Amino acid sequence: MRTVAVVGASLAGLSAARSLRKQGYDGRLVLIGDETHRPYDRPPLSKEFLAGGLGEADLALETDGEDLGAQWLLGARATGLDATARAVRLADGREIRADGFVIATGAAARRLPGSDGLTGVHVLRTLDDARALRDELARGGRLVVIGGGFVGAEVASTAYALGLDVTVVEAAPTPLAAPLGREMGGIVSALHLDHGVRLLCGVGVKGLSGERKVEAVLLEDGRSIPADLVVVGVGARPCVEWLEGSGITLDDGVKCGADGRTSLSGVVAVGDCANWYDPRAGRHRRVEHWTGAQERPAAAVATLLAGGAVEPGVPRPPYFWSDQYGVKIQFAGHAAGADSVTVEEGAPDDRNVLAVYRRAGQPVAVLGMNQPRLFTRWRKQLAAAS
Amino acid sequence: MMIPACRLADLPRGEAFRLDIDPPVSVFHTDDGEVFAIDDTCTHQDASLADGWLEGCEVECPLHASKFDLRTGAVDSPPAKLPVRTHEVLIEDGMIHVRVSTDAPNLPPCVAARLAGGPA
Ligand SMILES: Cc1cc2nc3c(=O)[nH]c(=O)nc-3n(C[C@H](O)[C@H](O)[C@H](O)COP(=O)(O)OP(=O)(O)OC[C@H]3O[C@@H](n4cnc5c(N)ncnc54)[C@H](O)[C@@H]3O)c2cc1C
Ligand code: FES
C-alpha cells in the first residue's frame, strides 16, 4: 500500500493515522478534514470550554512536536468516493488517489426544522458552535435546552453554573431512557431538579417564536416557554451523504464488520460514522462515544494493512462518561438487553450510585455516578464476561 | 525521601495502593508480580490512577482512558498529553517503600491550581 487517505480529521481520523504509523505503515498519508482546525477534543465543548475554564489550545488532540509525516488537507470537504478509480473527490474539484481509505467523517448535530435564520438558536458539535454559544451564554438570561440527552444535559449543567435560568424540554417521558433505561435515566436526570433547573418531559416542541431573534419555545401542548437563548440537543446524524453512489453499503452510517471492513475492499470506517458489527450484542451498532472513536481505529487499520486477513479481537463493551452538576457519570455495556437493574453501592438520593444491569443473571451493563473505582472493577468484569 | 507504603503481602497482584501524600503516589502490583510507583493523579484531570484499569505494565485512567506505562510514566494517547512521574520502589522485610522523585509533577491544571492556592 503506497497511499492511505483518511477522510475526517478529528478523533477517529487522528487515531487511525497514529495507528497506521504505529503498525509500521510508512507510505504516503493524507488527512482530509472539512473543518479548518487541527484535530481537537469535543467533550470539553459542553463542559470546561463552554464554562470558560479551558482555552482553545487546551483542546488540541495532538501532542507538542508530534509529527505523523502526513499531508493535511484542512478546510477540504470530501464530496465523493470513486471506488473504481480509487479516489476521493473534494468540493474544490481536487481528486486524491489512494490505495487505502479510512472513513472517519463522524456525525453532525441535528437541527430543528424552521429554526434557520433565527439568532439565539444553537447546536453544539464543533469548536465554532461552542465559541458562538459561549459568547452568548456570557450574557446570561433564560436558556431553553431542547433535548435531555447527554449533550443537552451537560449544556444545562454548565449554563446553570454560569448563573443562567435554565429549562430542559424532553419529548420522551424520561430523559436518557434509551442509553440508561427508564429507572436509571430518571435518577441521572433528577440532577437537573436538584439544582432548580426545570425539566419538562413527555412533551414535544412545535416550533420557535421570534422575528429575528428567538423569543420562545412553543410546545405541542400549547405552552410557550420564554427564551433568550435556545440550544437544540436532539442528537446527531452520521456524515455519510458524500458516500452515496460510491457503492458502499450505508445503513445508519457506514455498515462495517467487527474489524471495521466495509462492503468495499481497501475501505474501512471508524468512529461516530461507523455502524460496526458488535459480536457481544449480535448486531450492528453505531456508537457515538469518545473511547470507541479512539480505540477502534487500531483494529480497522490492522484490517486495512493486512488486506482483511486479520481476526479481530472482541472489542471492549462500549464506554462513555458524562459530567453534570459536578457528578461524574460513567456507563459501559448495553442497557437495552437487561431484564433487571440493581444498585450495588451508594444511594440514588445521594446521586452516588453503582448500578449493575443484568440479563438472565449475567451482567450486561454498569452505571456509575461518582464511583470511578468500583466502576472500573465492574467494567473489567463485564469485558471478561463474554 | 523514602516513605513506607504498605506490606507487599497486603497488596494482591492486580491491585493498587494509594499513598496519601501531597501530591498522592500510587503503588501497583502487576499480575506478573512486579511493583511500581507512579504519581496517582492523571495529568489530564483530577482522577486517581489507583482507581484505573491495570493491565500488564500499563494503567488506564478510570475516566478518559489514557494509558500510562508504569515503568516510564509515558502516556500513550490523548486526552492526557504529559507523562506522570515514576518513583523508585524498594522492598525491605516485606515492606514496600517509595523514594519520591524530586522532579516537578505534571499535575492537571485544576489540581495544580488547588495546590498552589492551598497551604504551603
Ligand atoms: C459537545 C460534545 C460533548 C461530548 N462529550 C462526550 C463525553 O463526555 N463522553 C464521550 O464518551 N463522548 C462525548 N462526545 C462524543 C465524542 O466527542 C465523539 O464520539 C467523537 O468526537 C467521535 O469522533 P469522530 O472522529 O468519529 O467524529 P467527529 O469528532 O464528529 O469528527 C468527524 C470530522 O469529520 C469532518 N467531516 C465530516 N464530513 C466530512 C467530509 N465530507 N469531508 C471532510 N471532513 C468531513 C467533521 O467536520 C469532523 O471534523 C461528545 C460530543 C460532543 C459534540
Ligand atoms: S482524567 Fe485521566 S484521561 Fe482524563
Side-chain angles (χ1 to χ4, degrees):
Chain A
M1 202 161 287
R2 293 256 194 79
T3 301
V4 175
V6 177
V7 190
S10 178
L11 178 64
L14 175 66
S15 177
R18 281 180 165 153
S19 296
L20 278 161
R21 292 307 191 206
K22 221 172 164 174
Q23 293 178 27
Y25 172 72
D26 60 3
R28 180 168 169 242
L29 177 58
V30 188
L31 274 121
I32 301 162
D34 62 353
E35 293 184 75
T36 52
H37 313 291
R38 297 290 284 210
Y40 59 88
D41 208 18
R42 288 179 210 279
L45 299 182
S46 51
K47 309 177 182 82
E48 305 89 345
F49 179 80
L50 200 57
L54 278 188
E56 289 182 18
D58 302 314
L59 299 178
L61 283 172
E62 293 164 281
T63 48
D64 288 344
E66 177 169 9
D67 183 7
L68 290 167
Q71 184 185 350
W72 292 80
L73 302 178
L74 297 179
R77 193 162 55 84
T79 52
L81 175 70
D82 186 333
T84 323
R86 304 216 62 83
V88 177
R89 246 191 333 273
L90 304 187
D92 61 12
R94 277 183 290 179
E95 275 202 354
I96 311 297
R97 291 175 159 273
D99 317 294
F101 299 88
V102 179
I103 312 284
T105 41
R110 285 211 177 85
R111 291 168 190 274
L112 206 63
S115 62
D116 298 346
L118 211 53
T119 61
V121 183
H122 296 259
V123 293
L124 181 54
R125 179 82 198 180
T126 65
L127 175 55
D128 297 338
D129 294 338
R131 281 179 182 157
L133 178 58
R134 191 184 54 182
D135 293 349
E136 276 213 63
L137 285 177
R139 280 187 229 130
R142 292 161 304 181
L143 166 70
V144 177
V145 178
I146 301 177
F150 287 106
V151 170
E154 289 176 1
V155 170
S157 154
T158 304
Y160 158 80
L162 292 171
L164 280 86
D165 174 81
V166 186
T167 305
V168 177
V169 182
E170 165 63 48
T174 313
L176 305 173
L180 302 184
R182 286 251 319 264
E183 192 182 344
M184 291 299 145
I187 289 169
V188 171
S189 57
L191 286 170
H192 294 300
L193 308 174
D194 294 351
H195 295 84
V197 166
R198 277 178 300 278
L199 176 59
L200 309 177
C201 292
V203 56
V205 167
K206 200 163 66 190
L208 303 174
S209 74
E211 284 293 309
R212 283 181 46 237
K213 197 176 173 324
V214 68
E215 280 163 14
V217 174
L218 308 175
L219 303 186
E220 267 164 1
D221 62 9
R223 275 181 291 176
S224 162
I225 315 294
D228 303 303
L229 195 57
V230 169
V231 172
V232 180
V234 294
R237 51 161 190 84
C239 297
V240 293
E241 322 76 44
W242 67 280
L243 290 165
E244 272 160 28
S246 66
I248 204 166
T249 305
L250 300 176
D251 171 15
D252 183 29
V254 181
K255 200 166 180 184
C256 50
D259 54 0
R261 88 180 63 197
T262 68
S263 60
L264 298 179
S265 74
V267 183
V268 294
V270 293
D272 283 13
C273 69
N275 191 4
W276 289 65
Y277 179 74
D278 182 339
R280 277 170 209 279
R283 61 183 180 87
H284 284 79
R285 271 179 57 110
R286 198 164 62 79
V287 176
E288 295 179 87
H289 306 317
W290 197 98
T291 309
Q294 154 84 12
E295 279 177 2
R296 302 188 82 162
V301 158
T303 303
L304 188 68
L305 294 179
V310 288
E311 219 15 76
V314 176
R316 296 197 288 182
Y319 163 67
F320 68 83
W321 75 86
S322 174
D323 301 318
Q324 298 170 27
Y325 304 100
V327 175
K328 291 236 165 303
I329 298 156
Q330 297 178 281
F331 185 86
H334 301 290
D339 54 31
S340 76
V341 187
T342 45
V343 173
E344 312 263 325
E345 192 69 48
D349 287 347
D350 302 338
R351 314 301 175 216
N352 174 321
V353 164
L354 192 287
V356 178
Y357 298 64
R358 291 187 175 82
R359 177 168 54 205
Q362 288 302 312
V364 291
V366 54
L367 168 74
M369 292 174 82
N370 280 342
Q371 287 279 2
R373 179 172 214 139
L374 269 184
F375 179 84
T376 304
R377 293 197 177 175
W378 274 100
R379 188 180 167 209
K380 261 187 135 155
Q381 221 165 304
L382 206 61
S386 68
Chain B
M1 190 178 26
M2 198 67 143
I3 301 176
C6 64
R7 302 201 69 79
L8 181 59
D10 295 340
L11 186 62
R13 290 185 183 198
E15 298 274 324
F17 175 84
R18 180 165 49 230
L19 242 178
D20 281 317
I21 54 177
D22 213 3
V25 162
S26 280
V27 179
F28 293 84
H29 194 179
T30 69
D31 287 323
D32 292 338
E34 289 186 281
V35 180
F36 296 100
I38 62 171
D39 277 346
D40 178 60
T41 310
C42 181
T43 59
H44 176 233
Q45 280 176 16
D46 193 2
S48 162
L49 295 177
D51 292 348
W53 182 315
L54 182 61
E55 204 163 272
C57 269
E58 279 187 330
V59 62
E60 178 185 294
C61 173
L63 296 189
H64 314 130
S66 282
K67 291 193 187 85
F68 295 89
D69 189 317
L70 299 178
R71 295 161 297 195
T72 61
V75 64
D76 73 326
S77 57
K81 287 183 228 163
L82 297 174
V84 288
R85 293 182 306 178
T86 56
H87 309 283
E88 195 186 330
V89 170
L90 252 117
I91 302 172
E92 246 174 290
D93 300 330
M95 189 72 190
I96 304 173
H97 297 263
V98 174
R99 191 195 303 277
V100 178
S101 160
T102 50
D103 298 346
N106 288 322
L107 294 172
C110 49
V111 175
R114 195 177 65 215
L115 286 183

